[in-house]
Amino acid sequence: DWAKGYYQLAVEAYDKGLNRVTEVLLLNATILAPQWSYFYIELANYYYLAGQYKMAIEQIKLCMTQFHPKSDCQKYFESDLKQDQTHRVGFLMNKIKKI
């Protein structure tokens, strides 16, 4: 629940243009719930939107070292990052609400 809270705050911060706060909140969500791919993917997507492609790749690589989220992160890497496709921060909100 803490990770979800940080995630929701990150989406709100991003909507208000608070990019540094968004980054910190998304990082905290990944730390609190490393078993969920969604937080890593949202953070990678945020970095990519911010023009920090290397940081996006770093997050996906970190995600792929985790047992459970590995396949989702690999899929995101192949279908989105490699294809230069980005999403609005918060694009996984509905999935995250269900966990």
Side-chain angles (χ1 to χ4, degrees), residues 35-68:
Q35 71 277 18
W36 291 104
S37 61
Y38 305 136
F39 300 120
Y40 290 102
I41 292 169
E42 282 279 8
L43 181 57
N45 181 67
Y46 164 76
Y47 281 133
Y48 197 71
L49 285 170
Q52 298 179 40
Y53 187 73
K54 287 183 181 181
M55 291 296 289
I57 297 295
E58 230 176 84
Q59 284 306 309
I60 291 302
K61 285 183 178 179
L62 179 61
C63 177
M64 289 190 282
T65 66
Q66 306 296 319
F67 179 74
H68 294 290

Side-chain angles (χ1 to χ4, degrees), residues 2-31:
W2 281 94
K4 286 185 190 181
Y6 277 100
Y7 171 76
Q8 290 174 339
L9 288 171
V11 173
E12 291 175 27
Y14 184 79
D15 289 343
K16 293 178 181 174
L18 303 171
N19 291 341
R20 180 66 182 131
V21 175
T22 302
E23 178 185 7
V24 170
L25 291 167
L26 287 172
L27 277 168
N28 278 306
T30 64
I31 291 166

